[in-house]
Amino acid sequence: MKKKILFFICVALLPGGADVFACTGILVGKNASIDGSVMISYAADSHTLYGEMYHWPAAKWPKGTMLDVVEWDTGKPLGRIAQVEQTFSVVGNMNEYQLAITESTFGGRMELVDTTGIIDYGSLIYITLQRAKTAREAIKIMTDLVAEYGYCSGGESFSIADKNEAWIMEMVGKGHGNKGAVWVAIRIPDDCISAHANQSRIQQIPFDDKENCMYAPDVVSLAREKGYFKGKDKDFSFAKAYNPYDFGGLRACEARVWSVFRKYDPSMDKYETFIKGDTTKMPMPLYIIPNRKLSVRDVQNCMRDHFEGTDLDMTNDAGAGPYKAPYRWRPMHFKVDGREYLNERAIATQQTGFVIVPQMRNWLPDAVGGILWFGVDDADMTVFNPVYASALAVPECYRTGNGDLYTFSWTSAFWIHNWVANTAYGKYNFMIKDIRKVQQELEGGYQDMIPAIDKAAVEMHGENPEEARKFLTWFSATTADNATRRWKELGEYLLVKYIDGNVKKEENGLFKRNRYGIPASPDFPGYDEDYYRKIVESAGDRLKVR
């Protein structure tokens, strides 16, 4: 396999020096969604990840072909494994059979990392997507691969979903020179939603429920051998054994899960003390039954969350600045007068490479049913564009080679979205209103358009499946590239409207001019009273008018 990008592991130092990785995923069962879709989501958060979409075409391989495995985080060659005779087409994190796999890294006990293994977590995802058709098949392939070739990454939570069901699988190595991994996979009930965010979440294992639970035969015995667990199997907790809670794991990780859950179950507020860092409190459940069914837009909007409406709301302290920006630049922890403090770690964050919502629909042919809703950069200010999983090529705006982290490109969605977002950070509560209008224009338009595209593609698929794939490739590429051009227009508009701290007056969608064609005097909004008060408190009488 040719390495296309450095993958998306990201480290943020939290108080106490704990390393926490930074990705968030949501899972939605088919009976918990409005239309019967299975959905997952994923934000690939990294300060060194370029937001692009990668593609592996389906291929046949001669018997005896070997596959080079390259570590996704570092580019380091890890070894070679046997290639299968047939691989499937993959677009991003979804394949042509509507199978999607994502992850979040919890690390866990570092003594369990086996650096002699050949398979890292990133390669495990993309090799499996090229080989599996269903979530259950993917779990078997993933666990067989690490058993045969060794697993060289830290602990991972994987979202694994197909058009019928969604699973969380958690995996951690066995230690240096001890090939393989211990793991457990739990099926999310069809009427439930779940989430994970860089903290192991599986507690007790239903060992007798073979239909909805799979696990490594030594998942408990290894914990006993290492001294992580003493007790009866029924009391064993995967999370407590392999990734025990600490302050950072709750405040920076479980808090994100809580922020999703509480939107659909108000009783989740009882866990607020827990997610603020109290490890003695009862943990949250792995999944919940939501009080209403979720749409694609609901899941997309969950990925834009900054704890709004909670005690952790990032717009409510001085760090938000005069324009209430829900962002804090790294590092995430700091000291004042010798005491250590933190900034919140929300789901939406500035350093995201790409963010996705894979949607799987079992009532349509696979070529039509799978949609990878794909956005780049900060989830709060991105556009989720529909890319059908059967697409034969990647849209130009997401294509590898169209810019990189050191090369700006005006046709790269990643760079256009970063340009707009970095403009908006400085005047957030003004500009986000204009950004939301264009998001609604584009994403709302897609929701209106998709039924007609589906219908045309299904009819075409019945007569000529390859022509249907070409049509969906054209639609995906045209939609994404047009959205990138529209976002560039938005950036130009924001610069004109808000230049030099002013706000130009508008009328009927146009900037106002006087009857002679001269621009009207702009508004001078200044700051709100709360911010002026902070200025007075810091400056004292120096600024007082006498």
Side-chain angles (χ1 to χ4, degrees):
M1 180 189 302
K2 183 178 180 181
K3 177 180 171 294
K4 290 181 179 277
I5 62 171
L6 291 178
F7 206 55
F8 25 77
I9 198 167
C10 167
V11 181
L13 288 178
L14 289 171
D19 288 354
V20 176
F21 305 94
C23 301
T24 307
I26 300 168
L27 303 90
V28 180
K30 62 185 178 182
N31 293 337
S33 68
I34 286 176
D35 63 355
S37 299
V38 177
M39 294 179 283
I40 62 176
S41 72
Y42 175 55
D45 301 333
S46 170
H47 296 270
T48 58
L49 173 67
Y50 186 67
E52 59 190 356
M53 180 182 289
Y54 25 91
H55 174 223
W56 289 270
K60 294 184 182 294
W61 303 90
K63 192 171 182 178
T65 299
M66 300 298 289
L67 174 67
D68 293 323
V69 180
V70 177
E71 188 172 40
W72 284 91
D73 294 326
T74 66
K76 173 186 174 183
L78 295 177
R80 308 181 84 201
I81 68 172
Q83 180 61 284
V84 294
E85 294 185 17
Q86 173 71 60
T87 55
F88 308 134
S89 175
V90 177
V91 174
N93 285 61
M94 194 174 187
N95 76 13
E96 61 182 303
Y97 291 99
Q98 302 193 65
L99 172 69
I101 308 176
T102 62
E103 59 76 43
S104 70
T105 303
F106 61 78
R109 299 183 184 274
M110 289 299 100
E111 68 269 21
L112 294 182
V113 176
D114 177 16
T115 57
T116 65
I118 290 179
I119 305 289
D120 67 298
Y121 75 97
S123 299
L124 189 59
I125 290 174
Y126 295 105
I127 291 171
T128 301
L129 282 171
Q130 293 175 75
R131 299 182 177 195
K133 295 183 179 181
T134 68
R136 292 173 188 262
E137 187 179 1
I139 292 167
K140 184 176 190 317
I141 288 173
M142 294 170 81
T143 55
D144 285 351
L145 281 170
V146 298
E148 182 174 359
Y149 297 106
Y151 177 62
C152 66
S153 293
E156 290 286 334
S157 298
F158 296 97
S159 295
I160 307 170
D162 59 31
K163 58 193 174 186
N164 292 307
E165 53 189 27
W167 292 71
I168 287 181
M169 180 171 72
E170 297 193 332
M171 176 182 288
V172 66
K174 297 183 178 183
H176 185 75
N178 191 358
K179 190 165 66 172
V182 288
W183 56 274
V184 59
I186 303 287
R187 183 183 179 218
I188 306 305
D190 291 341
D191 61 348
C192 290
I193 66 172
S194 186
H196 54 86
N198 312 117
Q199 167 67 49
S200 174
R201 304 215 60 248
I202 295 177
Q203 300 287 339
Q204 275 64 47
I205 300 173
F207 293 106
D208 295 332
D209 187 357
K210 304 300 184 184
E211 181 63 21
N212 300 300
C213 176
M214 294 180 263
Y215 53 89
D218 55 350
V219 66
V220 179
S221 61
L222 181 76
R224 284 201 179 96
E225 176 190 324
K226 296 290 185 180
Y228 306 150
F229 173 70
K230 297 176 182 178
K232 298 179 180 178
D233 285 6
K234 68 180 180 62
D235 299 320
F236 176 76
S237 162
F238 187 93
K240 289 180 180 178
Y242 294 113
N243 185 212
Y245 293 135
D246 59 17
F247 177 83
L250 297 182
R251 189 60 177 268
C253 303
E254 285 292 90
R256 284 178 271 157
V257 174
W258 171 78
S259 196
V260 174
F261 280 4
R262 69 178 298 277
K263 295 178 191 297
Y264 303 101
D265 181 357
S267 72
M268 295 301 295
D269 282 348
K270 66 187 176 186
Y271 294 101
E272 185 168 345
T273 302
F274 169 72
I275 61 94
K276 285 183 176 179
D278 188 343
T279 60
T280 67
K281 300 297 184 182
M282 180 180 294
M284 293 185 295
L286 178 62
Y287 47 79
I288 63 169
I289 298 175
N291 59 6
R292 62 181 178 86
K293 295 189 176 187
L294 282 69
S295 67
V296 169
R297 298 295 297 281
D298 288 326
V299 180
Q300 292 168 354
N301 288 330
C302 280
M303 301 306 291
R304 293 174 169 138
D305 183 77
H306 307 106
F307 299 113
E308 286 87 353
T310 77
D311 192 42
L312 307 185
D313 191 329
M314 297 175 71
T315 65
N316 287 339
D317 62 60
Y323 298 115
K324 307 300 182 185
Y327 298 94
R328 304 295 183 270
W329 312 141
R330 270 41 179 175
M332 290 188 65
H333 67 109
F334 57 95
K335 288 186 177 181
V336 175
D337 297 330
R339 295 199 63 178
E340 202 158 15
Y341 298 86
L342 59 78
N343 285 312
E344 305 297 351
R345 194 330 189 167
I347 294 174
T349 185
Q350 61 274 6
Q351 75 273 12
T352 302
F354 63 84
V355 56
I356 59 175
V357 177
Q359 179 186 18
M360 289 70 74
R361 302 176 294 173
N362 65 9
W363 63 93
L364 293 168
D366 286 333
V368 185
I371 300 180
L372 184 71
W373 296 92
F374 190 89
V376 290
D377 190 40
D378 179 0
D380 182 40
M381 291 184 269
T382 197
V383 174
F384 287 93
N385 291 306
V387 177
Y388 280 83
S390 62
L392 300 167
V394 170
E396 173 63 25
C397 61
Y398 302 140
R399 192 165 295 165
T400 299
N402 185 6
D404 57 44
L405 278 179
Y406 296 104
T407 308
F408 185 90
S409 168
W410 283 111
T411 58
S412 159
F414 178 80
W415 276 117
I416 295 301
H417 280 269
N418 267 279
W419 172 52
V420 171
N422 278 269
T423 299
Y425 293 143
K427 209 175 184 74
Y428 181 82
N429 62 345
F430 281 82
M431 293 191 183
I432 193 61
K433 297 173 185 176
D434 297 300
I435 289 170
R436 289 283 183 262
K437 289 178 184 177
V438 182
Q439 275 181 337
Q440 176 61 42
E441 168 196 321
L442 293 169
E443 293 178 352
Y446 300 152
Q447 295 301 320
D448 294 338
M449 192 186 311
I450 288 297
I453 299 299
D454 287 345
K455 185 174 184 294
V458 168
E459 291 174 358
M460 202 176 296
H461 187 270
E463 297 180 4
N464 189 328
E466 194 62 21
E467 286 302 310
R469 293 189 69 180
K470 290 178 182 178
F471 167 68
L472 294 174
T473 302
W474 167 83
F475 170 77
S476 301
T478 302
T479 300
D481 289 338
N482 285 344
T484 301
R485 284 190 286 271
R486 180 68 183 91
W487 217 249
K488 181 175 179 289
E489 293 172 359
L490 171 63
E492 294 164 350
Y493 167 83
L494 294 175
L495 176 61
V496 172
K497 182 175 180 178
Y498 295 103
I499 192 169
D500 295 335
N502 304 323
V503 181
K504 286 188 172 64
K505 294 182 174 71
E506 293 180 277
E507 188 175 67
N508 299 323
L510 299 173
F511 294 121
K512 289 186 70 174
R513 299 174 183 268
N514 68 16
R515 59 179 177 172
Y516 305 109
I518 302 300
S521 178
D523 291 327
F524 308 115
Y527 308 109
D528 64 17
E529 185 177 352
D530 181 59
Y531 190 71
Y532 280 128
R533 183 172 287 108
K534 290 182 174 67
I535 293 174
V536 171
E537 290 170 356
S538 64
D541 288 345
R542 179 173 60 85
L543 300 179
K544 192 173 184 179
V545 175
R546 299 182 185 275

